[in-house]
Amino acid sequence: MSGAPTLLRPRAARKSFDDRRAEIVRKAASFFAQSGFDATTRELAAWLGTTQPLMYRYFPSKNALIEEVYEAVFLQSWDTAWDALLTDRTRPLHDRLCDFYNRYTDAIMHPEWMRIYLFAGLKGVDITGLYIARVEARIIRPVMVEMCAETGLVITPDNEAKLLELAWSLQGGIFYYGVRKFVYATPVHGEKRAMIEAAVDVYVKAWPK
Amino acid sequence: MSGAPTLLRPRAARKSFDDRRAEIVRKAASFFAQSGFDATTRELAAWLGTTQPLMYRYFPSKNALIEEVYEAVFLQSWDTAWDALLTDRTRPLHDRLCDFYNRYTDAIMHPEWMRIYLFAGLKGVDITGLYIARVEARIIRPVMVEMCAETGLVITPDNEAKLLELAWSLQGGIFYYGVRKFVYATPVHGEKRAMIEAAVDVYVKAWPK
DNA sequence: CCGGCTATTTATCGTTAGATAAATCTTACC
DNA sequence: GGTAAGATTTATCTAACGATAAATAGCCGG
């Protein structure tokens, strides 16, 4: 009856190429975090408030967009201030570790980061291996070194593997709190800060001498 | 030229209804663990060595098969002997915990279990919430109780949340070793047994008093 | 206010997914 | 060894996916 086209959705506001492109990457991150990378481009378009073919003006394929999402999530979320924090021996080790893990988890412990991290890992995406290597080089190994400096334990080829895994188990214990909360949507007990405090305390108190 | 049909694959051996059905569930678990639940039924058929429509004789839909895979993986992999192990106070706590975590991780730390657990969690499958609730009731809480019995700490409504999360962080630290190994295919340092030993040691030594 | 540039939409293509129906092969039993 | 039951395969349908091409609409300079 009406001469106007029956649109369920208002026409998307016209934006500059760069603005639209950045918006797609940003919103695609939260969309794929929620729905997984097998979600359809039509659902993504609905999430964006546009039509499905629009993204092909900005990215040659769905996979090309996904690659950009990986880079935005994993490569642009590392604060270089963290590195100095861990090795600042003017502060007590316990404080440094709590401070670091509070800041680090503030950056990664939200649904978007955690779910994309796991989606990408299960998919076998290369960048996750690079990310874990960076975590080991810039968190795990410094934590090990600082812990041993505190207790006076000398790191040798014989005990290094065990000590690295011990530092990983601290990291993993903290990380799994976020997995339970944001991936499994399971109730956790108390605030993140208290959990970090308690876990760090155990490792500082009982790190091998 | 040849009168015989050009089959790339030999005809599947004829099996009884129950045997074939059980085989599909079993092999589907390892298939979906590797390829994710969005892998196609045709790829699954190739994995099974059959044709694609065969599974529809045994399961009404792909999702119905997936549901059975969940149950096989999560509900039938719990050894009731574990429960008694944790609370056997005739043995030193450290030994009990190492023994338990070695057995428990023997059961779950392989690609099939770990990857399906994460796939299901990301997909929001109900059964994962039930599984986590069971872990908390039958591992985390007993560990907390046994630890506190050892140190003499009385569990109160005030400290319970912190203590539960501390027991969770031990579990998570151990679990993340398997995630790195089987989900991210990242090299780990040393054997699982040594990692468990070192982590348990830290928690036993520094559990709050 | 007009003309062109380009962001956005409409329409559609080819492929492949899950699923169904009918045909065929294998086994068990008399 | 013939026959019925049922396990497996072949052939195919419909819907939905990623992707492309052509049409439309909004903005900016003249």
Side-chain angles (χ1 to χ4, degrees):
Chain A
M1 303 303 176
S2 160
T6 58
L7 283 179
L8 295 169
R9 170 186 48 76
R11 186 183 182 89
R14 189 187 175 99
K15 298 192 175 179
S16 78
F17 186 89
D18 289 347
D19 284 355
R20 178 66 78 189
R21 194 175 198 286
E23 185 199 29
I24 292 176
V25 173
R26 184 169 43 82
K27 289 192 176 174
S30 55
F31 170 72
F32 285 127
Q34 184 180 68
S35 305
F37 291 115
D38 294 291
T40 71
T41 56
R42 283 170 177 82
E43 288 171 314
L44 170 60
W47 184 269
L48 291 166
T50 67
T51 54
Q52 179 254 350
L54 187 66
M55 62 156 272
Y56 290 92
R57 289 294 260 204
Y58 300 88
F59 306 93
S61 69
K62 181 185 173 186
N63 258 335
L65 169 59
I66 288 174
E67 289 293 324
E68 293 231 13
V69 169
Y70 289 144
E71 290 182 20
V73 171
F74 294 125
L75 299 184
Q76 298 169 16
S77 66
W78 194 280
D79 187 338
T80 52
W82 295 336
D83 305 80
L85 221 164
L86 274 176
T87 56
D88 173 15
R89 295 195 182 173
T90 66
R91 302 178 58 197
L93 181 54
H94 179 277
D95 291 359
R96 268 186 274 159
L97 287 173
C98 286
D99 200 1
F100 165 76
Y101 271 117
N102 275 308
R103 290 171 196 251
Y104 178 61
T105 54
D106 280 345
I108 69 166
M109 252 186 217
H110 44 86
E112 185 173 312
W113 197 98
M114 304 224 62
R115 293 175 62 89
I116 286 180
Y117 178 70
L118 291 180
F119 274 124
L122 288 165
K123 208 174 164 185
V125 175
D126 293 340
I127 205 171
T128 60
L130 297 175
Y131 184 81
I132 288 185
R134 185 169 63 181
V135 167
E136 181 159 303
R138 295 169 72 170
I139 302 177
I140 303 304
R141 200 167 282 275
V143 165
M144 173 186 72
V145 168
E146 295 305 308
M147 287 280 204
C148 290
E150 190 81 3
T151 66
L153 180 62
V154 177
I155 299 166
T156 68
D158 278 351
N159 65 15
E160 189 182 37
K162 172 191 158 185
L163 295 169
L164 280 173
E165 282 303 331
L166 198 56
W168 264 118
S169 75
L170 168 60
Q171 173 98 5
I174 292 170
F175 189 80
Y176 199 56
Y177 175 93
V179 173
R180 285 159 50 217
K181 184 167 181 178
F182 295 114
V183 178
Y184 293 91
T186 292
V188 292
H189 310 284
E191 295 300 315
K192 169 166 75 73
R193 176 172 290 275
M195 176 273 302
I196 290 172
E197 158 85 26
V200 164
D201 202 51
V202 165
Y203 282 81
V204 168
K205 277 191 175 136
W207 190 268
K209 291 178 175 55
Chain B
M1 306 301 174
S2 158
T6 58
L7 283 178
L8 295 170
R9 171 186 47 78
R11 186 183 182 90
R14 189 187 175 100
K15 299 192 175 179
S16 79
F17 187 88
D18 289 348
D19 285 355
R20 177 66 78 191
R21 194 173 198 284
E23 185 199 29
I24 292 176
V25 174
R26 183 168 42 84
K27 290 191 176 175
S30 55
F31 170 72
F32 285 128
Q34 186 180 66
S35 305
F37 291 115
D38 293 293
T40 71
T41 56
R42 283 170 177 81
E43 289 171 314
L44 170 59
W47 183 271
L48 292 167
T50 68
T51 54
Q52 179 255 348
L54 187 66
M55 63 156 271
Y56 289 93
R57 281 292 236 218
Y58 300 88
F59 306 92
S61 70
K62 181 185 174 186
N63 258 335
L65 169 58
I66 288 175
E67 289 293 323
E68 293 233 14
V69 168
Y70 289 145
E71 290 182 19
V73 170
F74 295 125
L75 300 184
Q76 297 169 15
S77 66
W78 195 280
D79 188 338
T80 51
W82 296 336
D83 305 80
L85 222 163
L86 274 175
T87 55
D88 173 16
R89 295 195 182 173
T90 66
R91 302 178 58 196
L93 181 55
H94 178 277
D95 292 0
R96 268 186 275 160
L97 287 173
C98 285
D99 200 1
F100 165 76
Y101 271 117
N102 276 308
R103 291 170 195 251
Y104 177 61
T105 53
D106 282 344
I108 69 166
M109 252 186 217
H110 45 86
E112 185 174 311
W113 196 98
M114 304 225 59
R115 292 175 61 88
I116 286 180
Y117 178 70
L118 290 180
F119 274 123
L122 287 165
K123 209 173 162 185
V125 176
D126 293 340
I127 204 171
T128 60
L130 297 175
Y131 184 81
I132 289 185
R134 185 168 64 181
V135 166
E136 181 159 302
R138 293 169 73 170
I139 301 178
I140 304 305
R141 201 167 282 274
V143 165
M144 172 186 73
V145 168
E146 296 304 309
M147 287 281 204
C148 289
E150 190 82 1
T151 66
L153 179 64
V154 177
I155 300 166
T156 68
D158 278 350
N159 65 15
E160 189 183 35
K162 172 190 160 188
L163 295 169
L164 279 173
E165 282 303 333
L166 198 54
W168 263 119
S169 75
L170 169 60
Q171 173 98 4
I174 292 171
F175 189 81
Y176 199 55
Y177 175 94
V179 173
R180 284 160 50 217
K181 185 168 181 178
F182 295 115
V183 177
Y184 293 91
T186 292
V188 293
H189 310 284
E191 296 300 313
K192 169 166 75 72
R193 176 173 291 273
M195 176 273 301
I196 290 173
E197 159 84 25
V200 165
D201 204 51
V202 164
Y203 282 80
V204 169
K205 279 189 174 136
W207 191 267
K209 291 180 174 53

